[in-house]
């Protein structure tokens, strides 16, 4: 798309129009720039999105995130709005991650192992790099290879709490490589900081006793940041 525009402002105009037609068009197009080796332009456009008074990152991710949350509710046998109500408010954020190539990737890590503290994260991966995101599966680190046109949805701690362990938050990390720059765009969706988080009573039974204590999400965030990205240490602070 950028190649069809005569200037950066023209490209931004195209992005602005696309966002109002499809909530995640901007993510796909920024990722396309990265795939074409135009990381600087992608960062420029991301910053333009972040500063625009109409198309803020929270607005861009809102439609898709609400739909995904409804699907999570339905998969638990609940009404589609159950988890949204349990959130007691919403907190959105979008972040662009830039990982430059490293000549000795085995000596460093792009982002330490952790599980996201929020409800869930929608991630746009860089399709040029096949081993950037890794998750823990059966005790081993497994690479999540990017699929063109697809997003990754990482379950966060608050969904694990609200679902009473039916869903598990995903422990993950980012690794670097020696040849390519990697860029990713993460859209975070979770409760408001003053929300009181309590697991859903409908999901407690004799065979599934309550696993987590109630908490205020803002306090949980403080615990998470105090753990300094230490795997899934934060969620253990609210487990019975």
């Amino acid at each position: 798309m950028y190649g069809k525009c005569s200037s950066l402002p023209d490209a931004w105009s195209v992005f602005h129009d696309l966002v109002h037609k499809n909530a995640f068009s901007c993510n796909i197009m920024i990722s396309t720039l990265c795939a074409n080796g135009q990381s600087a332009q992608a960062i420029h456009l991301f910053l333009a999105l972040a500063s625009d008074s109409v198309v803020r990152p929270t607005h861009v991710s809102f439609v898709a995130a609400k739909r995904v949350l409804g699907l999570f509710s339905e998969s638990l046998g609940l009404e589609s709005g159950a988890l949204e109500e349990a959130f007691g408010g919403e907190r959105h954020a979008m972040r662009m991650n830039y990982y430059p190539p490293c000549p000795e990737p085995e000596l460093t890590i792009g982002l330490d192992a952790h599980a996201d503290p929020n409800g869930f994260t929608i991630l746009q991966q860089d399709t040029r790099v096949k081993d950037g995101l890794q998750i823990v599966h059966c005790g081993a680190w497994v690479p999540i290879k990017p699929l063109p046109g697809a997003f990754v949805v990482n379950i966060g701690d608050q969904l694990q709490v609200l679902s009473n362990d039916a869903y598990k938050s995903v422990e993950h990390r980012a690794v670097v490589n020696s040849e390519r720059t990697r860029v990713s765009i993460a859209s975070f969706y979770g409760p408001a900081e003053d929300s009181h988080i309590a697991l859903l009573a409908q999901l407690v039974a004799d065979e599934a006793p309550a696993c987590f204590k109630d908490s205020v999400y803002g306090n949980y965030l403080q615990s998470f940041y105090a753990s300094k990205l230490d795997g899934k240490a934060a969620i253990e602070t609210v487990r019975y």
Side-chain angles (χ1 to χ4, degrees), residues 161-216:
V161 170
L162 291 170
S163 70
N164 196 29
D165 253 356
Y167 280 118
K168 309 291 186 183
S169 59
V170 179
E171 185 174 357
H172 58 284
R173 67 183 183 183
V175 297
V176 296
N177 69 87
S178 60
E179 299 178 355
R180 285 188 176 273
T181 292
R182 176 174 173 266
V183 177
S184 66
I185 303 170
S187 299
F188 302 93
Y189 186 86
E193 287 196 31
D194 60 353
S195 293
H196 182 85
I197 303 300
L199 60 85
L200 295 169
Q202 307 95 301
L203 301 178
V204 178
D206 290 341
E207 64 276 13
C211 295
F212 300 102
K213 299 174 283 188
D214 296 1
S215 67
V216 175

Side-chain angles (χ1 to χ4, degrees), residues 10-78:
D10 288 342
W12 164 238
S13 177
V14 171
F15 270 76
H16 193 283
D17 291 341
L18 281 171
V19 167
H20 289 282
K21 297 176 183 177
N22 184 326
F24 270 99
S25 290
C26 61
N27 281 23
I28 295 170
M29 300 307 295
I30 289 175
S31 210
T32 299
L33 289 178
C34 297
N36 290 332
Q38 296 174 292
S39 297
Q41 292 92 329
I43 292 170
H44 188 131
L45 288 170
F46 179 84
L47 293 174
L49 280 169
S51 63
D52 185 83
S53 60
V54 176
V55 193
R56 296 190 183 278
T58 52
H59 173 73
V60 172
S61 64
F62 182 77
V63 174
K66 296 268 280 190
R67 177 60 179 144
V68 170
L69 187 63
L71 293 173
F72 276 129
S73 290
E74 293 173 10
S75 72
L76 292 168
L78 307 172

